[in-house]
Amino acid sequence: DQQVKQNSPSLSVQEGRISILNCDYTNSMFDYFLWYKKYPAEGPTFLISISSIKDKNEDGRFTVFLNKSAKHLSLHIVPSQPGDSAVYFCAASEGTYKYIFGTGTRLKVLA
Amino acid sequence: KAGVTQTPRYLIKTRGQQVTLSCSPISGHRSVSWYQQTPGQGLQFLFEYFSETQRNKGNFPGRFSGRQFSNSRSEMNVSTLELGDSALYLCASSLNRGLEKLFFGSGTQLSVL
C-alpha cells in the first residue's frame, strides 16, 4: 500500500514558468514532509521541508504548500530553470524516524 | 566536509550469491538509513541504525540485514540474491535521530543476473 503517492510520473515546463509538483498521502499521522531532488547517478539531495503545524514554507525559488484536510502537498518552483530538470521525490514521516517516499516525478524544464 | 560515501558504485552478481554494501556517513553523523530504489517503486525504506543498533526496519525479508560499527560506518548484506533484488541501494546519514533531513550517498547499483 503506497502511503505517499506522486501520481504524475513526468512533467514538462517551459523555462521561466512555474513548475508544480504534487504529492498525496493517506496516513493522517504524518507530521513532517520533505522534498528531495535527484539527478541521474547521484543520490537525492534535500530541497525543502514542512512541518504539519504550517501550511507553507518558502526557500528562494522553492515553496511547499501543505493542505492537511486534503492530505496533499505541492512543490512550486518559480521561475523554473533548465538546471531544475531532475526527479523530485516527496517524503513523509510520522515521527518514527523513517521516511516514506513517493515514486517520484521527473521534471523536464525546456529552454 | 566529505559527503556520504558508498562503495562499490556498481556490482554484478548472480542469483543465489550474497553481497555486502558499505556506507561511510558524514563525519559526526550518527544515524544511518538504507533505502532501495527501483523503477516505479520510489525509495523503499530498509532499515535505520543509530549507536550500532537497528532502530527501525522496513518490510523486507530477512535476507536483507545490516550493521553499524562504532565509527558509525554501516554495511548492509543481502543473502541468496534474487533477480528482483536488482536496484539502486542508497545510504543516508543524519546527525541524530528525529525529524532531520537526510544526506544521501550516490548509491550502489546492484544487478543480479
Side-chain angles (χ1 to χ4, degrees), chain A residues 37-45 89, chain B residues 6 9-10 37 88 90 104-107:
Chain A
K37 177 170 73 174
K38 186 179 185 301
Y39 294 117
E42 294 182 16
T45 54
F89 292 96
Chain B
Q6 290 187 247
R9 285 298 306 271
Y10 303 94
Q37 184 189 4
L88 178 68
L90 291 160
F104 282 87
S106 298

Side-chain angles (χ1 to χ4, degrees), chain A residues 54-106:
Chain A
K54 292 183 162 186
D55 54 19
K56 178 182 173 181
N57 189 25
E58 278 181 272
D59 185 0
R61 297 186 298 114
F62 303 92
T63 303
V64 57
F65 295 91
L66 175 62
N67 182 332
K68 288 184 287 295
S69 60
K71 296 194 186 68
H72 176 84
L73 67 156
S74 60
L75 174 69
H76 292 209
I77 307 173
V78 185
S80 300
Q81 301 172 353
D84 296 329
S85 297
V87 178
Y88 289 78
F89 292 96
C90 65
S93 172
E94 56 172 298
T96 56
Y97 310 115
K98 72 176 185 184
Y99 290 98
I100 309 296
F101 281 79
T103 52
T105 296
R106 183 178 303 276

Side-chain angles (χ1 to χ4, degrees), chain A residues 2 31-32 34 36 38 41-46 87 89 93-104, chain B residues 9 33 35 37 40-45 48 56-58 88 90 97-106:
Chain A
Q2 194 74 24
D31 55 8
Y32 191 64
L34 307 92
Y36 278 82
K38 186 179 185 301
E42 294 182 16
T45 54
F46 172 79
V87 178
F89 292 96
S93 172
E94 56 172 298
T96 56
Y97 310 115
K98 72 176 185 184
Y99 290 98
I100 309 296
F101 281 79
T103 52
Chain B
R9 285 298 306 271
S33 302
Y35 288 82
Q37 184 189 4
Q41 290 293 315
L43 278 70
Q44 304 280 314
F45 173 77
E48 180 225 353
N56 234 321
K57 191 176 192 308
L88 178 68
L90 291 160
R97 302 194 74 209
L99 297 179
E100 296 196 14
K101 61 185 182 185
L102 304 175
F103 293 82
F104 282 87
S106 298

